[in-house]
Amino acid sequence: MGIRGFTSFVDSNNNRLLQDHNLHCTRVVIDGNNFYHFLYQYLHVKHHYGGDYDVFYKKVKEIFQMFEECDIKPFIVFDGGYEADGKKLKTTLTRAKNRIHLAGFISHGGRGRILPILAYETFKTVLVDMGVPYIVCDFEADSQIVKLANHWHCPVMSNDSDFFVFDLRGGFILFDYVDFRLASPEDPQTGKTYHCLSVQLYHIDHFAKEFPGFDKTLLPVIAVLLGNDFIESSLFENFFHTLKSAWSKSLPQRHQRLAAILSWCEDYRSWEDAVEKILTYVPKESRDNLRLLIHRCIRFYIDLEESFSLSDFFDSDSNTALQQRTDEIKSYNGSLSPSWFISAHRSGAIHPFFLNTVVLHRNVLLTQVENMKVASSYSTSERIRQVMYGILLKDDSCTPIDNLSGRSQDTHVLEYTRDESKNLKKTLLESINSLPNFGQLPGLSQLGNISTGQRVDMILEVLSVPNTFLELWSPPLQLLACVIVYWILQSQPRVTRYHYHALLVCIILLQSKTRIRQLKQNSRHYKHEQETDEVSKDDILSSTSNEGLSDPKMQSKQSCQKADPISQICVQSACEKATESQLTQFLQKVDKHHAKFAPVTKCSPVESAITHGSSQFQACLLDCLHLNQLLQSPLEHPRPHTFFSGVFLYNFTKELRSRSKPLSYISDILGPKSPMSAVFTQMESLISKHIGEDCFQETGTGKKNSKKKGKKKGDRKKTDYAKSDVCSENSDNDLPEMVQAACELDNRFSCLLLDV
């Protein structure tokens, strides 16, 4: 991402090109995509086992709380879909290939980082919970970020080196040059202390001052020559051979080319003249095409186009501003997207995945750390995407142009994912246009005419879950429970019971941690908590936080209290009924699985059999979240940080696999007769009853046995597991019936940019 080598050049000359600055009492416009990529690594969140979203949520929230203390008002701007002109397709596919190889490298114990696929959803959840304003641009956000920041005369924060070239009135701050620790200097005028973040600020005028013979309007030419996401520097090799600079030899070799270009540019005062001179070193037959490409790249930096005004959105009522927009977004075959769809995209209510589908009929699915020798984890959730494609493409119908097969990108969606040989493969995926019970699927223009009940019915039919099953779960758990059922039924290779039971315990674990935090924050209301078996209704209501299992906009704070405890399963209610002692004992027992991380090395690689099951679940969850978004959220939206911890799931799955009686072990750590044990039994019984006995991968349980006795013991233990040995005290009474460098080595954060 950005201009090749420019960040390292600034880094080597930071004392000349950057100024120390105390950031406080100001607006800042933040490159959203860049920020959550950066934070996942900066905050040292684990990634090997699919994502520790609970940790990520907590630490990101602390960053924004720090902004509040410094009176820094962040405005987050996300990229939208890929441009229809395909100018970044080559870059996108290269990153997808690199991500595949990096995922395979990590799974075999190699070093590297891959951003987990639910990090974006988790980051947005923090923004909603903290009230941080954000918006999603139609396509690439850079130019709109620049216009907004210049409108407000405030800084831009990003690690994208493209912003070094833009003329930003308030300056540019790299995340790498922010000290995310609260500073409290003294105001020299008033003598009072204030909170701030210590940063280093770049301004294009600093650059012009350090190179006085250089015209700053030529910086886009340098960006083109060095290469960026749109153009390769290798196209200018003949030109580079002619460059000379008397002082460049004193610089590191990697910066000598940039210094030589700066020296050469001193002879020019317009970028047009400089470009024409550069083209004289290009073969005549290639000049016209290259001229067009160069001009397009340069205008990216100087023609700041915007599809809609971000300042109107942020400075006024956001919903009103979006509804007043009349911008048109055309689909792949030329039809116009309905206004509600455009507004939902820009407000972040739906994922950019949908815009890519509508405009490009193309999606790139991000490879996870999984078993690279079997089909991609996304094959598990393929049916969900086919249904979404049926809705998204219906209003954009076109007669197939391939008379032989009837398959073309006009009528299908081109998906890029990995194959079993760790290669990037593309597949034309056919959409599903009707469901047996629901009938013909609506198009985008018809969704507004479909009732909430019909939308729920559509989701349930896609996931093969009856309404009677849904009704037994409290609203915050409904969609999650349906995804678990779909995951178990559809996964190939099949998941194990260990995966399944570890996930259920993880849900209880993270809700228990939330409850403990509430009790500590409100300790004055719970003096006698350890002496009682239940907390009062008033105490429950007073301690409810916005960290429930679903979106707070859906009033998840009170959903569990409204649930009928006899007919609906609610983990939040169970944890609220538990005593502080019961919660503490449970958390102490599982701490080794949640808090401790065993380093992944070549001698101790990731067990792909475990991570693949988790990756399959995440793929199902991601696509189901998207489907719920597309249908305008008829079911409460699950929040990944409240039920998914990759480290815990990996460690606990391994632990269950080593146990001869895994359900007895679960009962012991949850606490016999505790509300947590009861709700686990309820969840396990209800889901198992729905999916049946033959949906899991048959694996031997317990520790490895000798060759002579292995078969006999394995058979016996497998039978014990099937009979379910979870605490019999609760069994009846409590039931409601996932080496070559794949990134720039001089940028320690570049590996995180391997999502596409």
Side-chain angles (χ1 to χ4, degrees), residues 4 104 208 267 353 358 411 451 492 541 546 552 647 726 739 743 755:
R4 314 289 185 254
D267 295 332
F353 167 90
V358 168
T411 57
S451 70
Q492 290 294 336
L541 294 175
N546 61 359
V647 168
V726 70
V739 173
C743 52
D755 74 329

Side-chain angles (χ1 to χ4, degrees), residues 435-490:
L435 297 172
N437 295 323
F438 184 87
Q440 287 292 319
L441 296 179
L444 291 176
S445 61
Q446 300 169 310
L447 273 180
N449 301 324
I450 304 298
S451 70
T452 300
Q454 290 176 305
R455 296 174 193 179
V456 171
D457 290 342
M458 190 189 306
I459 293 175
L460 295 180
E461 186 169 357
V462 172
L463 300 181
S464 301
V465 175
N467 210 298
T468 53
F469 176 86
L470 186 76
E471 292 170 351
L472 294 174
W473 301 83
S474 61
L477 286 172
Q478 288 178 339
L479 189 56
L480 178 59
C482 294
V483 173
I484 293 174
V485 169
Y486 179 90
W487 165 57
I488 296 172
L489 292 176
Q490 299 298 324

